[in-house]
Amino acid sequence: MKSRWSKYIIYFSLLSLIVVLYKAEYLKIPHTYSPMLLIGSFFFLFVGFIINSISQKRLLVKSKFLINNHHALAMVGLNVFGKYIPGKVWMVMGKAVYLSENLNFPVASLSLLFLNAQIIGLWCGLILGILGLFLNNALHLLSWAGLIILIFFTVIMFSKTAHDTILNKVNKLLRKNLNLPLLSIHDTISLIPWFFGGWIFWGVGFFLLASSISNNSLPFSTIFCFPLAGTLGILFIFAPGGIGIREGIMIGYLSTLNITLPEAITISAASRLWFIIGEIFIFATGYIAHRRQSFSPVIHNKVNSE
């Protein structure tokens, strides 16, 4: 690889993943009642990762950073395990460093853009999770903290004042003069279906997974369990990859569907292994895309030079 720091980030994230999985003992395969549903769950899981890569590519392109599909798959895939590094800084920085080293894009501006992508993704996941709680008559489980987070993300996404305030604070911290234009409401709204799409495909995949290892019929609203648990798991910064947090939220959500505690625990634990297989898929896809992509300079409009 041509990359320098990004290569070490990738190695460290893989090591962190191994350590986390070893301590958590998540590598347990449950009994499967329907192999076809299980296969279908992986199809939706893998497509969800592809859509996630496309959504971040489209955000970059709208911000005048032109990348192709190979770049998108490589930047997302090779850094997918960065979330297992405590603090989760490399969920954002890893992709920025990767593109900076391979395409000479400004790393600081890219970091802000990927942070924006993270906020849009979390906003979409939280909306879907709230919809699931509504369908289950369980909105009372959504705390004031959850509502505050949703409002906060909404303001950041659509308010120029909030955008300028955050950018000024970042400039003071980095002692730079970054000029990152706020996406128009039209551009932001055009991106939202892609971010929703990734969560919905993952949610359908989770529903099929749960159905494949359950001997009972599960309601349609099971789809929204994964977006809610995944979003809140990411927000717990100091839990690597949301390990433990995501599973606990899933158990609580599934209990609102009258699923027994042992079965809810089995489904939540299986979902961790299931999703890690999806991460391995996008990592391998990203590696292949990186190897096949010629990283010649791409004509682009720089947001800022560093």
Side-chain angles (χ1 to χ4, degrees), residues 104-118:
N104 298 317
F105 287 157
V107 67
S109 295
L110 283 176
S111 297
L112 288 174
L113 275 175
F114 285 126
L115 180 59
N116 195 17
Q118 188 81 340

Side-chain angles (χ1 to χ4, degrees), residues 62-166:
K62 285 187 179 295
S63 300
K64 310 305 181 184
F65 289 99
L66 305 185
I67 66 172
N68 59 34
N69 290 332
H70 284 88
H71 298 148
L73 289 170
M75 73 174 185
V76 172
L78 292 178
N79 292 285
V80 70
F81 296 120
K83 67 181 182 180
Y84 294 103
I85 300 175
K88 302 185 181 179
V89 175
W90 295 113
M91 289 179 65
V92 173
M93 288 295 297
K95 291 175 287 190
V97 171
Y98 179 82
L99 289 182
S100 175
E101 290 177 349
N102 288 283
L103 291 174
N104 298 317
F105 287 157
V107 67
S109 295
L110 283 176
S111 297
L112 288 174
L113 275 175
F114 285 126
L115 180 59
N116 195 17
Q118 188 81 340
I119 290 171
I120 296 174
L122 292 173
W123 185 83
C124 292
L126 195 54
I127 289 290
L128 291 173
I130 291 173
L131 174 60
L133 293 176
F134 174 77
L135 293 174
N136 297 331
N137 295 316
L139 272 178
H140 61 279
L141 296 178
L142 185 68
S143 66
W144 284 104
L147 289 174
I148 291 171
I149 290 170
L150 180 62
I151 294 171
F152 177 71
F153 286 165
T154 303
V155 170
I156 290 178
M157 287 168 56
F158 297 106
S159 170
K160 187 177 188 306
T161 301
H163 170 270
D164 291 343
T165 300
I166 293 173

Side-chain angles (χ1 to χ4, degrees), residues 1 3 10 46 49-50 53 68-81 95 98-99 102 278-295:
M1 293 185 182
S3 53
I10 293 167
F46 295 162
F49 275 105
I50 299 298
S53 300
N68 59 34
N69 290 332
H70 284 88
H71 298 148
L73 289 170
M75 73 174 185
V76 172
L78 292 178
N79 292 285
V80 70
F81 296 120
K95 291 175 287 190
Y98 179 82
L99 289 182
N102 288 283
E279 291 172 334
I280 293 172
F281 160 79
I282 196 63
F283 178 86
T285 302
Y287 179 78
I288 293 171
H290 175 86
R291 299 294 295 181
R292 290 185 175 181
Q293 175 62 43
S294 174
F295 282 93

Side-chain angles (χ1 to χ4, degrees), residues 10 41 47 68 76 80 89 120 130 168 206 234 261 267 289 305:
I10 293 167
S41 76
V47 173
N68 59 34
V76 172
V80 70
V89 175
I120 296 174
I130 291 173
N168 288 335
F206 173 81
I234 291 172
L261 180 60
I267 292 172
S305 59

